[in-house]
Amino acid sequence: MMLQTRYLGLNLNNPLVIASLPLAKDISSIRHMEDAGAAAVVLHSLFEEQILIEEKQLNENLLRGTESFAEALSYFPDISSFQLGPTAYLEHIKEVKRAVEIPVIASLNGISTGGWIEYAKKIEAAGADALELNIYFIPTNPAVMGDQVEQLYTVLVKDVTSSIKIPVAVKLSPFFSAAANMLKRIDQAGAKGLVLFNRFYQPDFDLDNLNVVPNLHLSHSGELTLRLRWAAILYGQLDCDLAITGGIHTAEDVIKSIMAGANATMMASAILKHGISHIQSVLSDMKEWMKKRDYNSIEDIRGLLSMKNIAEPTAYVRSNYMKVLGSYL
Ligand SMILES: Cc1cc2nc3c(=O)[nH]c(=O)nc-3n(C[C@H](O)[C@H](O)[C@H](O)COP(=O)(O)O)c2cc1C
């Protein structure tokens, strides 16, 4: 059974990658994940805010004027909860590279272009095999127009991809008025991969204390369908690779993602729920599933259910909406 795949120009033993998670702060956990069969690891993110705060501590003056970006630094959580500051993050990349053989993908998380992007170069110099750029932006200002937001994405991607040679994947939201066009533009801006999609962590209300509180629920397989649809629509229309994150829990979830057209899948919640050994079960279930149906390799199934390859591509568009509504008895 050939589970090998290629993602961002990297050879992966199989399509199951560890999504960006705090678990990756611990070298021995990464070793266990590699032993369990994980094909690559995305490190937890280094946040733009962390870099700015470190710079602020170095020189208060450097920060003058930049407080205007959307979410004030004052709301940023206690920085110590992120443990690894920018300098330690670079050291961590070097240590992980020494500890494991699987590809190591670093993660930068930010929304604005600026000095902090220099960290992409430092991440490359530290030995990361690739960089995942997570753009998690919530445009709350009614004066900000859609094309300004789109510009923000493309400029940031261009700035990062033009400053380093290692491949850059972009992890982002599906919520654009013309998502296919936006994703194409990010592809054209130099991204070698798209990671579909960020989950949105909606804050909840604490009625006793009249507070807005952070609210993180782990995912479930039901969240996959949004990603499947977009991977299936995009497959064959972009130059860059596709990875799916959000709802990868079982072997079936991985197989569906590949059939939609993904090169790789990324798992986070299922590992937190079931432990690192879950990786092994998913891979062995995958092999069993493929063997039963006489599929010999990932290439045999990639894109099989994409819009390009299915007999009824309308399954992914508006007419399907009417069919779904009509199917409820
Ligand atoms: C506790 C936790 C921490 C996370 N930290 C990061 C992070 O630092 N950077 C990032 O890009 N994604 C982060 N994520 C998102 C995951 O990488 C992943 O994309 C998301 O959880 C969807 O995958 P899942 O359905 O397998 O959980 C985090 C998720 C969880 C649950």
Side-chain angles (χ1 to χ4, degrees):
M1 182 68 58
M2 311 247 293
L3 290 190
Q4 288 89 345
T5 181
R6 271 176 75 75
Y7 174 58
L8 308 178
L10 305 167
N11 292 319
L12 304 187
N13 287 333
N14 63 67
L16 192 53
V17 171
I18 308 304
S20 180
L21 267 184
L23 209 56
K25 288 176 186 169
D26 178 39
I27 306 262
S28 74
S29 297
I30 300 181
R31 276 210 195 96
H32 282 136
M33 294 192 280
E34 178 179 48
D35 292 344
V41 59
V42 183
L43 301 182
H44 58 289
S45 293
L46 176 60
F47 290 80
E48 171 180 352
E49 290 84 348
Q50 281 176 283
I51 297 170
L52 293 179
I53 284 170
E54 188 171 274
E55 282 177 3
K56 185 178 182 217
Q57 283 161 355
L58 287 175
N59 182 353
E60 286 285 338
N61 292 334
L62 273 183
L63 206 64
R64 223 172 262 159
T66 58
E67 284 271 8
S68 56
F69 75 84
E71 286 154 289
L73 293 178
S74 52
Y75 186 71
F76 199 64
D78 176 11
I79 206 78
S80 61
S81 66
F82 284 78
Q83 288 168 12
L84 297 182
T87 315
Y89 192 85
L90 300 174
E91 215 34 60
H92 185 63
I93 294 173
K94 290 181 195 165
E95 275 180 48
V96 177
K97 279 299 293 174
R98 281 194 292 269
V100 293
E101 290 184 0
I102 53 175
V104 175
I105 303 172
S107 168
L108 259 188
N109 201 314
I111 54 168
S112 62
T113 60
W116 70 278
I117 290 173
E118 283 300 298
Y119 267 83
K121 283 188 193 151
K122 294 183 183 176
I123 282 170
E124 178 175 45
D129 296 289
L131 176 66
E132 188 172 284
L133 175 65
N134 186 335
I135 311 178
Y136 190 105
F137 180 51
I138 307 195
T140 51
N141 181 348
V144 171
M145 291 185 293
D147 57 353
Q148 289 173 287
V149 176
E150 294 176 1
Q151 182 81 353
L152 176 145
Y153 276 76
T154 49
V155 170
L156 180 54
V157 174
K158 264 189 203 143
D159 282 358
V160 172
T161 55
S162 62
S163 65
I164 53 177
K165 293 195 178 66
I166 54 172
V168 176
V170 179
K171 184 174 182 180
L172 75 179
S173 130
F175 303 120
F176 295 98
S177 48
N181 171 263
M182 187 63 222
L183 296 168
K184 176 84 189 160
R185 280 160 59 195
I186 289 176
D187 172 35
Q188 289 168 339
K192 294 283 181 257
L194 291 173
V195 183
L196 313 175
F197 290 113
N198 264 325
R199 291 178 73 225
F200 276 95
Y201 303 110
Q202 318 286 0
D204 201 355
F205 292 171
D206 171 351
L207 291 180
D208 291 327
N209 298 307
L210 293 188
N211 260 349
V212 179
V213 287
N215 184 27
L216 196 160
H217 293 297
L218 296 180
S219 73
H220 51 82
S221 292
E223 295 184 26
L224 192 62
T225 49
L226 171 76
R227 281 90 183 160
L228 291 179
R229 164 179 270 185
W230 280 104
I233 290 170
L234 295 170
Y235 178 71
Q237 300 207 63
L238 306 180
D239 291 330
C240 69
D241 293 338
L242 301 173
I244 287 186
T245 184
I248 300 288
H249 286 248
T250 64
E252 285 79 10
D253 295 335
V254 178
I255 292 165
K256 285 179 187 176
S257 302
I258 304 298
M259 287 193 175
N263 299 75
T265 60
M266 295 179 176
M267 181 181 271
S269 294
I271 297 173
L272 297 180
K273 273 188 199 166
H274 308 295
I276 290 174
S277 61
H278 187 65
I279 297 166
Q280 217 161 0
S281 334
V282 168
L283 290 172
S284 95
D285 290 353
M286 246 187 103
K287 283 184 198 156
E288 203 175 310
W289 189 97
M290 289 173 68
K291 199 170 155 198
K292 254 194 206 155
R293 286 150 184 93
D294 280 339
Y295 291 121
N296 296 316
S297 74
I298 291 296
E299 286 319 310
D300 283 354
I301 61 171
R302 193 194 313 284
L304 218 55
L305 293 179
S306 63
M307 192 155 111
K308 192 177 143 196
N309 289 336
I310 56 168
E312 260 197 275
T314 49
Y316 292 113
V317 295
R318 185 179 154 82
S319 47
N320 183 57
Y321 160 62
M322 291 171 63
K323 207 167 168 179
V324 169
L325 299 183
S327 71
Y328 189 82
L329 297 175

mmCIF file of all heavy atoms in Angstrom, residues 294-319:
data_model
loop_
_atom_site.group_PDB
_atom_site.id
_atom_site.type_symbol
_atom_site.label_atom_id
_atom_site.label_comp_id
_atom_site.label_asym_id
_atom_site.label_seq_id
_atom_site.Cartn_x
_atom_site.Cartn_y
_atom_site.Cartn_z
ATOM 1 N N ASP A 294 -9.291 -2.376 -3.239
ATOM 2 C CA ASP A 294 -8.269 -2.510 -4.288
ATOM 3 C C ASP A 294 -7.651 -1.203 -4.751
ATOM 4 O O ASP A 294 -7.273 -1.079 -5.919
ATOM 5 C CB ASP A 294 -8.849 -3.234 -5.523
ATOM 6 C CG ASP A 294 -8.883 -4.726 -5.305
ATOM 7 O OD1 ASP A 294 -8.118 -5.201 -4.437
ATOM 8 O OD2 ASP A 294 -9.685 -5.391 -5.976
ATOM 9 N N TYR A 295 -7.576 -0.240 -3.856
ATOM 10 C CA TYR A 295 -6.819 0.968 -4.187
ATOM 11 C C TYR A 295 -5.390 0.753 -3.692
ATOM 12 O O TYR A 295 -5.187 0.358 -2.537
ATOM 13 C CB TYR A 295 -7.409 2.202 -3.488
ATOM 14 C CG TYR A 295 -8.752 2.621 -4.009
ATOM 15 C CD1 TYR A 295 -9.865 2.666 -3.153
ATOM 16 C CD2 TYR A 295 -8.936 2.994 -5.334
ATOM 17 C CE1 TYR A 295 -11.114 3.070 -3.618
ATOM 18 C CE2 TYR A 295 -10.188 3.398 -5.801
ATOM 19 C CZ TYR A 295 -11.263 3.430 -4.940
ATOM 20 O OH TYR A 295 -12.489 3.830 -5.398
ATOM 21 N N ASN A 296 -4.412 1.015 -4.553
ATOM 22 C CA ASN A 296 -3.028 0.721 -4.166
ATOM 23 C C ASN A 296 -2.247 1.927 -3.703
ATOM 24 O O ASN A 296 -1.197 1.796 -3.086
ATOM 25 C CB ASN A 296 -2.274 0.101 -5.354
ATOM 26 C CG ASN A 296 -2.899 -1.222 -5.713
ATOM 27 O OD1 ASN A 296 -3.197 -2.014 -4.829
ATOM 28 N ND2 ASN A 296 -3.134 -1.450 -7.005
ATOM 29 N N SER A 297 -2.723 3.107 -4.047
ATOM 30 C CA SER A 297 -1.937 4.297 -3.675
ATOM 31 C C SER A 297 -2.848 5.502 -3.499
ATOM 32 O O SER A 297 -4.005 5.503 -3.940
ATOM 33 C CB SER A 297 -0.911 4.598 -4.782
ATOM 34 O OG SER A 297 -1.580 5.137 -5.898
ATOM 35 N N ILE A 298 -2.288 6.514 -2.872
ATOM 36 C CA ILE A 298 -3.005 7.778 -2.678
ATOM 37 C C ILE A 298 -3.349 8.371 -4.050
ATOM 38 O O ILE A 298 -4.430 8.940 -4.240
ATOM 39 C CB ILE A 298 -2.122 8.745 -1.849
ATOM 40 C CG1 ILE A 298 -1.989 8.228 -0.420
ATOM 41 C CG2 ILE A 298 -2.641 10.164 -1.877
ATOM 42 C CD1 ILE A 298 -3.280 8.175 0.362
ATOM 43 N N GLU A 299 -2.420 8.200 -4.986
ATOM 44 C CA GLU A 299 -2.671 8.756 -6.328
ATOM 45 C C GLU A 299 -3.905 8.126 -6.978
ATOM 46 O O GLU A 299 -4.567 8.748 -7.797
ATOM 47 C CB GLU A 299 -1.435 8.614 -7.219
ATOM 48 C CG GLU A 299 -0.309 9.587 -6.879
ATOM 49 C CD GLU A 299 -0.794 11.002 -6.559
ATOM 50 O OE1 GLU A 299 -1.580 11.570 -7.348
ATOM 51 O OE2 GLU A 299 -0.413 11.546 -5.505
ATOM 52 N N ASP A 300 -4.214 6.858 -6.608
ATOM 53 C CA ASP A 300 -5.406 6.200 -7.172
ATOM 54 C C ASP A 300 -6.696 6.921 -6.777
ATOM 55 O O ASP A 300 -7.709 6.813 -7.467
ATOM 56 C CB ASP A 300 -5.529 4.757 -6.632
ATOM 57 C CG ASP A 300 -4.567 3.811 -7.317
ATOM 58 O OD1 ASP A 300 -3.909 4.239 -8.273
ATOM 59 O OD2 ASP A 300 -4.484 2.648 -6.869
ATOM 60 N N ILE A 301 -6.661 7.570 -5.614
ATOM 61 C CA ILE A 301 -7.931 8.142 -5.125
ATOM 62 C C ILE A 301 -7.959 9.667 -5.127
ATOM 63 O O ILE A 301 -9.011 10.265 -4.940
ATOM 64 C CB ILE A 301 -8.280 7.623 -3.704
ATOM 65 C CG1 ILE A 301 -7.207 8.009 -2.668
ATOM 66 C CG2 ILE A 301 -8.486 6.122 -3.700
ATOM 67 C CD1 ILE A 301 -7.639 7.709 -1.230
ATOM 68 N N ARG A 302 -6.807 10.309 -5.338
ATOM 69 C CA ARG A 302 -6.790 11.781 -5.244
ATOM 70 C C ARG A 302 -7.709 12.430 -6.289
ATOM 71 O O ARG A 302 -7.637 12.125 -7.468
ATOM 72 C CB ARG A 302 -5.391 12.342 -5.413
ATOM 73 C CG ARG A 302 -5.335 13.828 -5.007
ATOM 74 C CD ARG A 302 -4.104 14.551 -5.436
ATOM 75 N NE ARG A 302 -2.881 13.841 -5.163
ATOM 76 C CZ ARG A 302 -2.306 13.726 -3.966
ATOM 77 N NH1 ARG A 302 -2.863 14.298 -2.926
ATOM 78 N NH2 ARG A 302 -1.199 13.053 -3.828
ATOM 79 N N GLY A 303 -8.586 13.267 -5.797
ATOM 80 C CA GLY A 303 -9.446 14.040 -6.685
ATOM 81 C C GLY A 303 -10.591 13.245 -7.300
ATOM 82 O O GLY A 303 -11.335 13.777 -8.129
ATOM 83 N N LEU A 304 -10.759 11.991 -6.863
ATOM 84 C CA LEU A 304 -11.788 11.126 -7.456
ATOM 85 C C LEU A 304 -13.186 11.743 -7.355
ATOM 86 O O LEU A 304 -14.016 11.579 -8.238
ATOM 87 C CB LEU A 304 -11.767 9.793 -6.697
ATOM 88 C CG LEU A 304 -11.979 8.509 -7.454
ATOM 89 C CD1 LEU A 304 -10.986 8.369 -8.595
ATOM 90 C CD2 LEU A 304 -11.813 7.316 -6.497
ATOM 91 N N LEU A 305 -13.430 12.470 -6.254
ATOM 92 C CA LEU A 305 -14.753 13.075 -6.070
ATOM 93 C C LEU A 305 -14.696 14.602 -6.211
ATOM 94 O O LEU A 305 -15.556 15.311 -5.697
ATOM 95 C CB LEU A 305 -15.320 12.679 -4.712
ATOM 96 C CG LEU A 305 -15.644 11.182 -4.567
ATOM 97 C CD1 LEU A 305 -16.180 10.862 -3.178
ATOM 98 C CD2 LEU A 305 -16.660 10.737 -5.629
ATOM 99 N N SER A 306 -13.673 15.083 -6.919
ATOM 100 C CA SER A 306 -13.570 16.534 -7.124
ATOM 101 C C SER A 306 -14.602 16.976 -8.162
ATOM 102 O O SER A 306 -15.120 16.154 -8.927
ATOM 103 C CB SER A 306 -12.170 16.897 -7.612
ATOM 104 O OG SER A 306 -11.949 16.293 -8.865
ATOM 105 N N MET A 307 -14.841 18.269 -8.210
ATOM 106 C CA MET A 307 -15.821 18.806 -9.147
ATOM 107 C C MET A 307 -15.425 18.465 -10.586
ATOM 108 O O MET A 307 -16.267 18.190 -11.435
ATOM 109 C CB MET A 307 -15.910 20.322 -8.969
ATOM 110 C CG MET A 307 -17.066 20.947 -9.669
ATOM 111 S SD MET A 307 -17.518 22.486 -8.878
ATOM 112 C CE MET A 307 -17.041 23.632 -10.107
ATOM 113 N N LYS A 308 -14.095 18.452 -10.791
ATOM 114 C CA LYS A 308 -13.554 18.183 -12.121
ATOM 115 C C LYS A 308 -13.856 16.741 -12.570
ATOM 116 O O LYS A 308 -14.028 16.475 -13.750
ATOM 117 C CB LYS A 308 -12.029 18.379 -11.999
ATOM 118 C CG LYS A 308 -11.260 18.433 -13.255
ATOM 119 C CD LYS A 308 -9.810 18.703 -12.900
ATOM 120 C CE LYS A 308 -8.938 17.905 -13.850
ATOM 121 N NZ LYS A 308 -7.579 17.789 -13.392
ATOM 122 N N ASN A 309 -13.900 15.828 -11.606
ATOM 123 C CA ASN A 309 -13.960 14.417 -11.975
ATOM 124 C C ASN A 309 -15.297 13.726 -11.792
ATOM 125 O O ASN A 309 -15.461 12.593 -12.228
ATOM 126 C CB ASN A 309 -12.895 13.624 -11.184
ATOM 127 C CG ASN A 309 -11.495 13.943 -11.680
ATOM 128 O OD1 ASN A 309 -11.334 14.360 -12.826
ATOM 129 N ND2 ASN A 309 -10.504 13.782 -10.835
ATOM 130 N N ILE A 310 -16.232 14.364 -11.092
ATOM 131 C CA ILE A 310 -17.490 13.631 -10.884
ATOM 132 C C ILE A 310 -18.446 13.873 -12.047
ATOM 133 O O ILE A 310 -18.371 14.885 -12.748
ATOM 134 C CB ILE A 310 -18.187 13.967 -9.541
ATOM 135 C CG1 ILE A 310 -18.439 15.465 -9.404
ATOM 136 C CG2 ILE A 310 -17.403 13.432 -8.368
ATOM 137 C CD1 ILE A 310 -19.350 15.803 -8.257
ATOM 138 N N ALA A 311 -19.359 12.919 -12.214
ATOM 139 C CA ALA A 311 -20.280 12.985 -13.342
ATOM 140 C C ALA A 311 -21.229 14.183 -13.204
ATOM 141 O O ALA A 311 -21.639 14.779 -14.195
ATOM 142 C CB ALA A 311 -21.064 11.687 -13.424
ATOM 143 N N GLU A 312 -21.572 14.530 -11.961
ATOM 144 C CA GLU A 312 -22.539 15.616 -11.747
ATOM 145 C C GLU A 312 -21.913 16.749 -10.944
ATOM 146 O O GLU A 312 -22.127 16.857 -9.729
ATOM 147 C CB GLU A 312 -23.719 15.076 -10.941
ATOM 148 C CG GLU A 312 -24.918 14.741 -11.777
ATOM 149 C CD GLU A 312 -26.165 14.608 -10.903
ATOM 150 O OE1 GLU A 312 -26.369 13.517 -10.372
ATOM 151 O OE2 GLU A 312 -26.881 15.621 -10.761
ATOM 152 N N PRO A 313 -21.092 17.597 -11.584
ATOM 153 C CA PRO A 313 -20.405 18.653 -10.830
ATOM 154 C C PRO A 313 -21.361 19.630 -10.148
ATOM 155 O O PRO A 313 -20.976 20.340 -9.217
ATOM 156 C CB PRO A 313 -19.555 19.357 -11.895
ATOM 157 C CG PRO A 313 -19.865 18.733 -13.197
ATOM 158 C CD PRO A 313 -20.762 17.577 -12.999
ATOM 159 N N THR A 314 -22.608 19.632 -10.557
ATOM 160 C CA THR A 314 -23.574 20.545 -9.920
ATOM 161 C C THR A 314 -23.787 20.176 -8.449
ATOM 162 O O THR A 314 -24.378 20.943 -7.700
ATOM 163 C CB THR A 314 -24.927 20.500 -10.659
ATOM 164 O OG1 THR A 314 -25.279 19.133 -10.827
ATOM 165 C CG2 THR A 314 -24.876 21.204 -11.987
ATOM 166 N N ALA A 315 -23.322 18.994 -8.057
ATOM 167 C CA ALA A 315 -23.440 18.595 -6.648
ATOM 168 C C ALA A 315 -22.779 19.623 -5.735
ATOM 169 O O ALA A 315 -23.090 19.700 -4.558
ATOM 170 C CB ALA A 315 -22.781 17.236 -6.444
ATOM 171 N N TYR A 316 -21.832 20.394 -6.293
ATOM 172 C CA TYR A 316 -21.122 21.364 -5.451
ATOM 173 C C TYR A 316 -21.680 22.779 -5.556
ATOM 174 O O TYR A 316 -21.191 23.677 -4.906
ATOM 175 C CB TYR A 316 -19.635 21.388 -5.841
ATOM 176 C CG TYR A 316 -18.946 20.098 -5.465
ATOM 177 C CD1 TYR A 316 -18.473 19.225 -6.426
ATOM 178 C CD2 TYR A 316 -18.802 19.754 -4.117
ATOM 179 C CE1 TYR A 316 -17.860 18.039 -6.063
ATOM 180 C CE2 TYR A 316 -18.198 18.570 -3.752
ATOM 181 C CZ TYR A 316 -17.727 17.717 -4.723
ATOM 182 O OH TYR A 316 -17.130 16.541 -4.365
ATOM 183 N N VAL A 317 -22.670 22.994 -6.433
ATOM 184 C CA VAL A 317 -23.109 24.377 -6.630
ATOM 185 C C VAL A 317 -24.563 24.583 -6.238
ATOM 186 O O VAL A 317 -25.166 23.758 -5.553
ATOM 187 C CB VAL A 317 -22.811 24.849 -8.082
ATOM 188 C CG1 VAL A 317 -21.303 24.892 -8.332
ATOM 189 C CG2 VAL A 317 -23.497 23.975 -9.092
ATOM 190 N N ARG A 318 -25.151 25.667 -6.710
ATOM 191 C CA ARG A 318 -26.450 26.099 -6.219
ATOM 192 C C ARG A 318 -27.565 25.067 -6.389
ATOM 193 O O ARG A 318 -28.416 24.914 -5.508
ATOM 194 C CB ARG A 318 -26.830 27.413 -6.922
ATOM 195 C CG ARG A 318 -28.098 28.006 -6.396
ATOM 196 C CD ARG A 318 -28.442 29.308 -7.081
ATOM 197 N NE ARG A 318 -29.871 29.526 -7.022
ATOM 198 C CZ ARG A 318 -30.505 30.029 -5.977
ATOM 199 N NH1 ARG A 318 -29.838 30.397 -4.917
ATOM 200 N NH2 ARG A 318 -31.811 30.187 -5.996
ATOM 201 N N SER A 319 -27.542 24.350 -7.496
ATOM 202 C CA SER A 319 -28.638 23.415 -7.721
ATOM 203 C C SER A 319 -28.674 22.346 -6.630
ATOM 204 O O SER A 319 -29.722 21.820 -6.290
ATOM 205 C CB SER A 319 -28.519 22.775 -9.095
ATOM 206 O OG SER A 319 -27.207 22.334 -9.292
#
